[in-house]
């Protein structure tokens, strides 16, 4: 199948499909009965996500790209992707012997370049990294699993971006169990520390990378998992 030509098998297994099929928008029952195979639609969306091709270049063994794109947008508007992620996140943590909610979060940011066609309002210049584009504010748990993310113009300060993504997490878990957040020096300051104390009744720890004469560069303990998350995104 075309979905496997790139070396990535993006087709859902039966067990994977059973986990997410309940999140698929139901047929409205207005007009003609839906004839589209929604499992193949999701396979196609994952193919696009993994391979990064244009919608118009979707292989012909999937449903028409217009149909796939329409359902992708519909599921985004209805927050279906977010709900799928939140459900699977809890399951993965519980399978690893952890509580469904983390008590420790790890946070960092990454500035990335954008194309010239990106909307100007979504772009900015990060003077420290010398990057014009957007900034990803990423939060993981101690396992390195993605908890949440906010994307801002690259010129937004880490403190403001950090507060934005932490607000999303607080809204997701009203009775949050988070007690500590580990971040790098870009998140120093009483503003964010006070925010974490108010919203989570927790504390923020500023980790530092260091250089050892014997080992060279040594990543900060525990904080390396968020760096791995950026590597996965890349």
């Amino acid at each position: 199948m075309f979905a496997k030509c790139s070396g990535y098998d993006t087709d859902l297994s039966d067990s994977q499909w059973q986990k997410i099929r309940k999140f698929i928008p139901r047929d409205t029952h207005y007009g003609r009965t839906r004839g589209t195979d929604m499992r193949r639609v999701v396979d196609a969306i994952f193919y696009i996500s993994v391979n990064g091709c244009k919608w118009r270049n979707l292989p012909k063994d999937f449903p028409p790209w217009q149909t796939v794109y329409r359902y992708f947008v519909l599921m985004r508007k209805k927050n279906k992707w977010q709900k799928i992620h939140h459900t699977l996140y809890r399951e993965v943590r519980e399978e690893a012997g952890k509580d469904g909610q983390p008590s420790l979060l790890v946070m960092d940011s990454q500035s990335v370049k954008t194309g010239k066609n990106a909307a100007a309002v979504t772009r900015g210049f990060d003077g420290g990294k010398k990057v014009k584009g957007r900034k990803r504010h990423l939060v993981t748990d101690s396992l390195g699993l993605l908890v949440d993310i906010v994307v801002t113009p690259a010129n937004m300060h880490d403190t403001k971006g950090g507060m934005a993504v932490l607000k999303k997490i607080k809204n997701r878990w009203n009775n949050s169990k988070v007690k500590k957040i580990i971040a790098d020096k870009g998140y120093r300051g009483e503003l964010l520390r006070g925010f974490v104390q108010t919203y989570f009744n927790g504390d923020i720890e500023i980790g530092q990378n260091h250089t050892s004469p014997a080992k060279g560069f040594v990543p900060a303990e525990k904080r390396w998992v968020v760096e791995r998350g950026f590597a996965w995104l890349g």
Side-chain angles (χ1 to χ4, degrees):
M1 295 182 68
F2 284 109
K4 300 178 181 178
C5 290
S6 65
Y8 296 98
D9 182 0
T10 57
D11 290 353
L12 291 169
S13 66
D14 290 342
S15 61
Q16 290 170 339
W17 172 242
Q18 290 303 319
K19 285 181 180 294
I20 69 172
R21 65 181 303 176
K22 62 183 178 182
F23 298 100
I24 303 302
R26 296 183 178 180
D27 193 344
T28 60
H29 302 296
Y30 297 112
R32 293 183 299 173
T33 302
R34 176 191 289 167
T36 301
D37 183 346
M38 292 304 298
R39 180 170 173 174
R40 291 301 290 155
V41 167
V42 176
D43 286 339
I45 293 171
F46 287 170
Y47 179 90
I48 290 284
S49 178
V50 169
N51 293 283
C53 69
K54 297 178 181 178
W55 290 100
R56 293 175 184 272
N57 292 343
L58 192 66
K60 300 301 182 182
D61 61 335
F62 290 119
W65 74 265
Q66 298 94 331
T67 300
V68 175
Y69 181 72
R70 184 174 74 251
Y71 280 115
F72 168 76
V73 172
L74 177 63
M75 291 180 67
R76 184 177 62 187
K77 288 181 177 179
K78 292 181 176 292
N79 292 325
K80 296 295 186 180
W81 300 117
Q82 193 173 51
K83 291 176 181 177
I84 290 172
H85 171 259
H86 291 174
T87 299
L88 296 181
Y89 173 82
R90 177 179 287 275
E91 287 188 15
V92 171
R93 279 189 59 88
E94 291 175 348
E95 288 179 4
K98 300 282 188 177
D99 189 278
Q101 284 192 37
S103 59
L104 175 70
L105 300 179
V106 189
M107 180 168 62
D108 204 352
S109 67
Q110 180 190 53
S111 294
V112 293
K113 294 181 179 179
T114 53
K116 295 181 179 180
N117 293 330
V121 70
T122 69
R123 305 167 68 200
F125 183 72
D126 182 342
K129 301 294 178 60
K130 308 300 181 185
V131 171
K132 186 174 184 179
R134 301 186 181 120
K135 184 180 286 187
R136 300 163 172 163
H137 304 270
L138 186 70
V139 175
T140 72
D141 60 13
S142 60
L143 298 176
L145 300 174
L146 174 66
V147 177
D148 224 318
I149 187 171
V150 162
V151 180
T152 68
N155 60 330
M156 177 172 283
H157 194 276
D158 286 351
T159 297
K160 292 184 178 180
M163 288 193 291
V165 69
L166 291 176
K167 281 182 180 179
K168 287 182 64 179
I169 294 170
K170 179 60 178 177
N171 291 336
R172 171 174 161 188
W173 292 312
N174 289 326
N175 298 315
S176 174
K177 298 180 180 180
V178 174
K179 293 302 177 185
K180 180 182 284 189
I181 299 170
I182 299 176
D184 72 1
K185 59 184 180 181
Y187 296 94
R188 287 181 299 189
E190 291 305 314
L191 180 63
L192 186 58
R193 186 174 299 278
F195 177 88
V196 172
Q197 290 174 346
T198 300
Y199 271 73
F200 296 95
N201 193 27
D203 191 23
I204 183 166
E205 176 184 309
I206 304 300
Q208 296 288 341
N209 292 327
H210 64 277
T211 301
S212 164
K215 299 181 180 180
F217 175 79
V218 180
E221 184 180 3
K222 296 183 180 179
R223 196 162 58 80
W224 67 272
V225 293
V226 74
E227 300 291 349
R228 183 181 61 180
F230 286 128
W232 285 340
L233 289 176

